[in-house]
Amino acid sequence: MRPCIKTSTSRRREVVGLIGKLLFEAVQIPGPSGHEGRVAAWMEDKLRPHVDEVWRDRAGNVIGKREGKNSQKSLMLAAHMDEVSLVVKSVSDVVRFEVVGWIDPRTLLGSPVLVLARDGDIPGVIRSTSAHLAEAGGEVELWVDTGSRTSDVGIGDPIVFATNPRWLSPDERILASHAIDDRIGLCVLVEVAKKLTEQPECDIYYVATVQEEVGGYGAVFAAGEIKPTWAIAIDTAFASDPALPENPPLDSGPVVRRFVMSQPKGPLYPPSILFSSALLGDTMVESARKQGLPVNEDINCRTFTDACRIFDAHPDIACLPFLIPRRYSHSPYEVVDVRNADITAQIVIGALPFIFAS
């Protein structure tokens, strides 16, 4: 298979513009862990024109299959639909909550949110007692104020950030929004599926997974059902900022993660280890080199991805995290360079003939 990839400047701007619009749309769809249904419906609609069949499995994952010439081997491209969120713990004059997934509590105060109540979405804002009245140096208690609609909120209702996405560059290249992790990965899946107009050598499964932020359970289930030869998780990685200059710059291309050892400090995330497939990693780097595209390599001992959880459960599957740099993870405003989504898709497509021939 020799995919045709147009790399002219005008074509690149057109593609980036389309992916940017797709991402701008995707981040505004609520999809907390365990409640990904709206994102799943969106993803089914986007994948359907470019695959042979689309379905939801029993875990809620969306799977689009492109049949290959040889079905003895298969590739699973995964990106997760869920976003970090909150959940209603109690309701009185205000709504008290717990966190679902890891969220820096410093980012919560003042954040607009949306309560996904049983009878409709309810806007609210995370607040605390006015600083004029709070005890100096005391612990800050946070809650959600939903105004006159508090009585419509129920225990267990999920809560998501409701910040408005905004472009931080006039050319609509740098996007700030919640849920960039991992809606940008979903956009890469759609872009790869759209560009692969010829039948691939092996089966390809485009898998939009559930519950990555709370342990990667959707990816583990899907991998067990599909039993792919190779699995690549398209997700996000830490980009450099003033406090972490050693991380890849925002505009430096995707990251091949060579090794992961997640050592959580608390019980929220499971410990995880991943020895990434050298074949997959080397193939991505070589694909980038041949196309003159930027790419990074790293290891990480702080987080995990769907690839890590698949490897934990199915060590016979060759796995790789392939990640897009973004700043301010798990916050009301993450920041990403949309060009990296197009670059990631091109690198993946360029690598496919070599993966399938292995």
Side-chain angles (χ1 to χ4, degrees), residues 48-83:
R48 187 168 287 110
H50 312 296
V51 295
D52 296 304
E53 56 180 323
V54 178
W55 70 93
R56 289 193 211 185
D57 66 18
R58 290 172 294 158
N61 301 303
V62 173
I63 302 174
K65 181 181 180 182
R66 185 72 192 277
E67 293 184 1
K69 299 174 184 177
N70 175 10
S71 293
Q72 298 302 308
K73 295 181 178 181
S74 63
L75 169 66
M76 173 177 168
L77 292 175
H80 66 88
M81 296 185 287
D82 62 322
E83 60 191 284

Coordinates of all heavy atoms in Angstrom, one line a residue, residues 48-83:
R48 N -18.0 6.6 10.0 CA -18.8 5.8 9.2 C -18.5 5.9 7.7 O -18.4 4.9 7.0 CB -20.3 6.0 9.4 CG -21.2 5.1 8.7 CD -22.6 5.1 9.2 NE -22.8 4.5 10.5 CZ -23.0 5.1 11.6 NH1 -23.1 6.5 11.6 NH2 -23.2 4.5 12.7
P49 N -18.3 7.1 7.1 CA -18.0 7.2 5.7 C -16.7 6.7 5.3 O -16.5 6.5 4.1 CB -18.0 8.8 5.5 CG -18.7 9.4 6.6 CD -18.4 8.5 7.8
H50 N -15.8 6.3 6.2 CA -14.4 6.0 5.8 C -14.0 4.5 6.2 O -12.9 4.2 6.1 CB -13.4 7.0 6.5 CG -13.8 8.4 6.3 ND1 -13.8 9.0 5.1 CD2 -14.2 9.3 7.2 CE1 -14.2 10.3 5.2 NE2 -14.5 10.5 6.5
V51 N -15.0 3.8 6.8 CA -14.7 2.4 7.2 C -15.7 1.4 6.6 O -16.7 1.9 6.1 CB -14.6 2.3 8.7 CG1 -13.4 3.1 9.3 CG2 -15.9 2.7 9.3
D52 N -15.5 0.2 6.7 CA -16.4 -0.8 6.2 C -17.6 -1.1 7.2 O -18.7 -1.4 6.7 CB -15.7 -2.2 6.0 CG -14.6 -2.0 4.9 OD1 -15.0 -1.6 3.8 OD2 -13.4 -2.3 5.1
E53 N -17.4 -0.9 8.5 CA -18.4 -1.1 9.4 C -18.1 -0.4 10.7 O -16.9 -0.2 11.0 CB -18.7 -2.6 9.7 CG -17.6 -3.4 10.2 CD -17.9 -4.8 10.4 OE1 -19.1 -5.1 11.0 OE2 -17.1 -5.7 10.1
V54 N -19.1 0.1 11.4 CA -18.9 0.8 12.7 C -19.9 0.2 13.7 O -21.0 -0.1 13.4 CB -19.2 2.3 12.6 CG1 -19.0 2.9 14.0 CG2 -18.2 2.9 11.6
W55 N -19.4 -0.1 15.0 CA -20.3 -0.6 16.0 C -19.8 -0.1 17.4 O -18.7 0.3 17.5 CB -20.4 -2.1 15.9 CG -19.2 -2.9 16.4 CD1 -18.9 -3.4 17.6 CD2 -18.1 -3.2 15.5 NE1 -17.7 -4.0 17.6 CE2 -17.2 -4.0 16.3 CE3 -17.8 -3.0 14.1 CZ2 -16.0 -4.5 15.8 CZ3 -16.6 -3.5 13.6 CH2 -15.7 -4.3 14.4
R56 N -20.7 -0.3 18.4 CA -20.3 -0.1 19.8 C -20.2 -1.5 20.4 O -21.1 -2.3 20.3 CB -21.3 0.8 20.5 CG -21.2 2.2 20.1 CD -22.0 3.1 21.1 NE -22.6 4.2 20.4 CZ -23.3 5.2 21.0 NH1 -23.4 5.2 22.4 NH2 -23.8 6.2 20.3
D57 N -19.1 -1.7 21.1 CA -19.0 -3.0 21.8 C -19.7 -2.9 23.2 O -20.3 -1.9 23.5 CB -17.6 -3.5 22.0 CG -16.7 -2.5 22.9 OD1 -17.3 -1.8 23.7 OD2 -15.5 -2.6 22.8
R58 N -19.7 -4.0 23.9 CA -20.5 -4.1 25.2 C -19.9 -3.2 26.2 O -20.6 -2.8 27.2 CB -20.5 -5.5 25.7 CG -21.3 -6.5 24.9 CD -21.1 -7.9 25.3 NE -19.7 -8.4 25.0 CZ -19.1 -9.4 25.6 NH1 -19.7 -10.0 26.6 NH2 -17.9 -9.7 25.3
A59 N -18.7 -2.7 26.1 CA -18.1 -1.7 27.1 C -18.5 -0.3 26.7 O -18.3 0.6 27.5 CB -16.6 -1.9 27.1
G60 N -19.0 -0.1 25.5 CA -19.3 1.3 25.0 C -18.3 1.9 24.1 O -18.4 3.0 23.7
N61 N -17.2 1.1 23.8 CA -16.2 1.6 22.8 C -16.8 1.7 21.5 O -17.7 0.9 21.1 CB -15.0 0.7 22.8 CG -14.3 0.5 24.1 OD1 -13.8 1.5 24.7 ND2 -14.2 -0.7 24.5
V62 N -16.4 2.7 20.7 CA -16.8 2.8 19.3 C -15.7 2.2 18.4 O -14.5 2.5 18.6 CB -17.0 4.2 18.8 CG1 -17.3 4.3 17.3 CG2 -18.2 4.8 19.6
I63 N -16.0 1.3 17.5 CA -15.0 0.5 16.7 C -15.4 0.7 15.3 O -16.5 0.3 14.9 CB -14.9 -0.9 17.1 CG1 -14.6 -1.1 18.6 CG2 -13.9 -1.7 16.3 CD1 -14.6 -2.5 19.1
G64 N -14.5 1.2 14.5 CA -14.6 1.3 13.0 C -13.6 0.3 12.4 O -12.4 0.4 12.7
K65 N -14.1 -0.6 11.6 CA -13.2 -1.6 11.0 C -13.0 -1.3 9.5 O -13.9 -1.1 8.8 CB -13.7 -3.0 11.2 CG -12.8 -4.1 10.6 CD -13.4 -5.5 10.8 CE -12.4 -6.5 10.2 NZ -13.0 -7.9 10.3
R66 N -11.7 -1.3 9.1 CA -11.4 -1.2 7.7 C -10.7 -2.6 7.3 O -9.7 -2.9 7.8 CB -10.4 -0.1 7.4 CG -10.1 0.1 5.9 CD -11.3 0.7 5.1 NE -11.1 0.6 3.7 CZ -10.4 1.4 3.0 NH1 -9.8 2.5 3.5 NH2 -10.3 1.3 1.7
E67 N -11.4 -3.4 6.5 CA -10.9 -4.7 6.2 C -9.7 -4.6 5.3 O -9.6 -3.8 4.3 CB -12.0 -5.5 5.5 CG -13.1 -5.8 6.4 CD -14.2 -6.7 5.7 OE1 -14.0 -7.1 4.5 OE2 -15.2 -7.0 6.4
G68 N -8.7 -5.4 5.6 CA -7.4 -5.5 4.8 C -7.4 -6.6 3.9 O -8.3 -7.5 3.9
K69 N -6.4 -6.7 3.1 CA -6.2 -7.8 2.1 C -5.9 -9.1 2.9 O -6.2 -10.2 2.4 CB -5.1 -7.5 1.1 CG -5.4 -6.2 0.3 CD -4.2 -5.9 -0.6 CE -4.4 -4.6 -1.3 NZ -3.2 -4.2 -2.1
N70 N -5.2 -8.9 4.0 CA -4.8 -10.1 4.9 C -5.4 -9.9 6.3 O -5.0 -8.9 7.0 CB -3.3 -10.2 4.9 CG -2.8 -11.3 5.9 OD1 -3.6 -12.1 6.4 ND2 -1.5 -11.3 6.1
S71 N -6.3 -10.7 6.7 CA -6.9 -10.6 8.0 C -6.2 -11.4 9.1 O -6.7 -11.5 10.2 CB -8.4 -11.0 7.9 OG -9.1 -10.1 7.1
Q72 N -5.1 -12.0 8.7 CA -4.3 -12.7 9.7 C -3.7 -11.8 10.8 O -3.4 -12.3 11.9 CB -3.3 -13.6 9.1 CG -3.8 -14.6 8.1 CD -4.8 -15.6 8.7 OE1 -4.5 -16.2 9.7 NE2 -6.0 -15.7 8.1
K73 N -3.4 -10.6 10.4 CA -2.9 -9.6 11.3 C -3.7 -8.4 11.3 O -4.4 -8.1 10.3 CB -1.4 -9.3 10.9 CG -0.4 -10.4 11.0 CD 1.0 -9.9 10.6 CE 2.0 -11.1 10.7 NZ 3.3 -10.6 10.4
S74 N -3.7 -7.6 12.4 CA -4.5 -6.4 12.5 C -3.8 -5.3 13.4 O -3.0 -5.7 14.2 CB -5.9 -6.7 13.0 OG -5.8 -7.2 14.3
L75 N -4.2 -4.1 13.1 CA -3.7 -3.0 13.9 C -4.9 -2.3 14.5 O -5.9 -2.0 13.9 CB -3.0 -2.0 12.9 CG -2.7 -0.6 13.5 CD1 -1.6 -0.7 14.6 CD2 -2.2 0.4 12.4
M76 N -4.7 -2.0 15.8 CA -5.7 -1.2 16.6 C -5.1 0.2 16.8 O -4.1 0.3 17.5 CB -6.0 -2.0 17.9 CG -6.9 -1.2 18.9 SD -7.2 -2.2 20.4 CE -7.9 -1.0 21.5
L77 N -5.8 1.2 16.3 CA -5.5 2.6 16.6 C -6.5 3.1 17.6 O -7.7 3.1 17.3 CB -5.5 3.4 15.3 CG -4.5 3.1 14.2 CD1 -4.7 4.0 13.0 CD2 -3.1 3.4 14.8
A78 N -6.0 3.5 18.8 CA -7.0 3.8 19.8 C -6.8 5.3 20.3 O -5.7 5.8 20.3 CB -6.7 2.9 21.0
A79 N -7.9 5.9 20.6 CA -7.9 7.2 21.3 C -9.1 7.2 22.2 O -10.1 6.7 21.9 CB -8.0 8.4 20.3
H80 N -9.0 7.9 23.3 CA -10.1 7.8 24.3 C -11.1 8.9 24.2 O -10.7 10.1 23.9 CB -9.5 7.6 25.7 CG -8.8 8.8 26.3 ND1 -9.4 9.8 27.0 CD2 -7.5 9.0 26.4 CE1 -8.5 10.6 27.4 NE2 -7.3 10.2 27.1
M81 N -12.3 8.6 24.5 CA -13.4 9.6 24.4 C -13.6 10.3 25.7 O -14.2 11.4 25.6 CB -14.7 8.8 24.0 CG -14.7 8.2 22.6 SD -16.3 7.5 22.2 CE -16.4 6.0 23.2
D82 N -13.2 9.8 26.8 CA -13.6 10.4 28.1 C -12.7 11.5 28.4 O -11.6 11.6 28.0 CB -13.7 9.3 29.2 CG -12.3 8.7 29.4 OD1 -11.6 8.4 28.5 OD2 -12.0 8.4 30.6
E83 N -13.2 12.4 29.3 CA -12.5 13.5 29.9 C -12.5 13.4 31.4 O -13.4 12.8 32.0 CB -13.0 14.8 29.4 CG -14.5 15.0 29.8 CD -15.2 16.2 29.1 OE1 -14.9 17.3 29.5 OE2 -16.0 16.0 28.2

